[in-house]
Amino acid sequence: DSGVTQTPKHLITATGQRVTLRCSPRSGDLSVYWYQQSLDQGLQFLIQYYNGEERAKGNILERFSAQQFPDLHSELNLSSLELGDSALYFCASSVGIGTGSYEQYFGPGTRLTVT
Amino acid sequence: AQTVTQSQPEMSVQEAETVTLSCTYDTSESDYYLFWYKQPPSRQMILVIRQEAYKQQNATENRFSVNFQKAAKSFSLKISDSQLGDAAMYFCAYRSIQGGSEKLVFGKGTKLTVNP
């Protein structure tokens, strides 16, 4: 158990809908990352937050957004869902940022299926 | 942009034997971190081992060790005394040390099968 929690574990929804994925980082970790794992794209970085502020963006679609709250949990919002958004979404957390090693510890993921 | 390549989509090993998984990467940076993650059928991503580019000594964690060749940009994972529980997808990952983002860049993965 990495200490990172994600809810829900599974989500099945229809095209055009909107969903929210939730992540709670390990106790003491200030940085949260979201990754998408799909069969064709592999593991791709979406976005990073540090202590409530957006720090970096990767291959995140405009239909997707995220935020990190004062209690450091994070939510990833996916809207106008398409079949191609079906994937495993991971949240990871690390204690800091910058030049330290700061390993990222992953949650169990949320499996999103868009039908 | 950094890229990570795992050239072996699948590998197999006999229980108790040793196997080496390959990883190469491309970067213009001189300092960075490299990681191996394991993803078993449960889909959980588990950190296996970490290597700092500025360290010449290869990292070791119990049965897992790396062969880090900085000039060749190679970072292979050796699993000794393979166990059935080692069966999983293994991902090599690169993290920049420069400020602005600590994202991981992953390879496509190697599926390891352990035969009894």
Side-chain angles (χ1 to χ4, degrees), chain A residues 2 33 35 37 40-41 43 45 48 55-56 88 90 97-104 106-108 111, chain B residues 33 35 37 39 42-45 47 50 52 91 95-104 106-108:
Chain A
S2 66
Y33 312 77
Y35 293 88
Q37 185 178 30
D40 53 344
Q41 296 292 328
L43 270 157
F45 167 72
Q48 177 193 3
R55 180 164 172 84
L88 188 55
F90 284 108
I97 58 174
T99 57
S101 59
Y102 300 132
E103 292 93 343
Q104 293 180 27
F106 282 71
R111 164 78 64 190
Chain B
Y33 294 98
F35 303 88
Y37 280 86
Q39 187 177 40
S42 67
R43 308 295 267 176
Q44 174 79 49
M45 293 289 288
L47 178 63
R50 175 195 81 203
E52 294 92 337
F91 293 93
R95 181 170 87 69
S96 174
I97 202 168
Q98 292 180 2
S101 172
E102 287 74 36
K103 71 177 182 182
L104 293 171
F106 287 93
K108 294 290 189 187

Side-chain angles (χ1 to χ4, degrees), chain A residues 70-83:
Chain A
D71 67 353
L72 301 177
H73 90 271
S74 178
E75 293 180 356
L76 179 68
N77 301 296
L78 316 176
S79 61
S80 303
L81 285 167
E82 301 174 0
L83 295 177

Side-chain angles (χ1 to χ4, degrees), chain A residues 39-84:
Chain A
L39 280 175
D40 53 344
Q41 296 292 328
L43 270 157
Q44 299 268 319
F45 167 72
L46 295 177
I47 197 165
Q48 177 193 3
Y49 279 82
Y50 176 73
N51 203 21
E53 300 286 328
E54 181 184 301
R55 180 164 172 84
K57 264 186 176 179
N59 300 321
I60 188 166
L61 299 170
E62 284 193 11
R63 300 183 284 108
F64 296 2
S65 65
Q67 53 185 325
Q68 186 179 28
F69 294 87
D71 67 353
L72 301 177
H73 90 271
S74 178
E75 293 180 356
L76 179 68
N77 301 296
L78 316 176
S79 61
S80 303
L81 285 167
E82 301 174 0
L83 295 177

